[in-house]
Amino acid sequence: MAAVAYRYAVRGAVPAAVMDEIRRAHILREQITRLYMEADRRIAELHAAQPGVAEAQDAARQAAGEAGHLREQIQARKAAGRTRRPDPELASRLAVAREAASEARAALKAVKDAARRGLAGQEKAIRAAAYAGIRDLYAQAVSGQLYRDSP
């Protein structure tokens, strides 16, 4: 996950109340992100436990890795040879590998879609629990309880 840093230009000292609000907003955002990530992890585990999903994920990962490896080989040969034209043999292997990766992704999507139809109720329950947790976090933030244990 990418980190985003914000920088604000302020002349003079930043008031303590402003810094406190920024710290509180940061704590709240971290907690909300943690709840979302936990829900996503639980749903991914739920899907991976379904028959065929783990195998399809492995096949897609392997096909994508092979295509990436061939792409790196082509780039290395182009750099070593100081040419813009790829090696025709490697280029044809890359095209085949890309097609295989595309087919593997499509197969994974089909397997996941079939599994998702059977798991819709469980997914909905996991998301509902996450949203309930977020509502509780907002209630704690408004009352100030969320920040009592933080520095």
Side-chain angles (χ1 to χ4, degrees):
M1 179 179 279
V4 179
Y6 297 98
R7 184 173 178 179
Y8 300 98
V10 177
R11 289 188 180 168
V14 177
V18 171
M19 290 305 296
D20 191 47
E21 282 301 310
I22 291 173
R23 181 183 59 81
R24 288 177 183 216
H26 179 73
I27 291 169
L28 179 61
R29 183 173 177 172
E30 277 187 353
Q31 295 296 321
I32 290 171
T33 302
R34 183 185 54 77
L35 286 173
Y36 275 123
M37 289 176 68
E38 178 65 22
D40 290 342
R41 183 191 61 77
R42 289 179 59 200
I43 289 172
E45 286 176 356
L46 189 66
H47 284 231
Q50 295 303 305
V53 173
E55 293 83 10
Q57 284 177 334
D58 289 340
R61 193 175 302 119
Q62 185 177 5
E66 177 66 24
H69 179 67
L70 286 170
R71 189 172 40 253
E72 289 172 2
Q73 282 184 347
I74 288 174
Q75 288 174 349
R77 286 207 184 158
K78 283 168 57 175
R82 296 181 182 257
T83 180
R84 296 179 75 178
R85 293 185 181 200
D87 180 13
E89 187 261 332
L90 279 178
S92 66
R93 285 178 44 203
L94 177 60
V96 170
R98 283 181 174 166
E99 182 63 31
S102 177
E103 290 172 4
R105 282 192 306 270
L108 175 61
K109 183 181 181 322
V111 170
K112 277 188 171 182
D113 286 346
R116 186 171 287 131
R117 283 191 284 282
L119 301 174
Q122 292 172 328
E123 277 188 42
K124 193 173 184 178
I126 291 171
R127 293 281 181 213
Y131 295 147
I134 291 170
R135 282 192 299 276
D136 291 343
L137 278 176
Y138 278 120
Q140 290 175 11
V142 169
S143 68
Q145 294 174 354
L146 182 64
Y147 314 111
R148 295 203 200 288
D149 297 334
S150 61

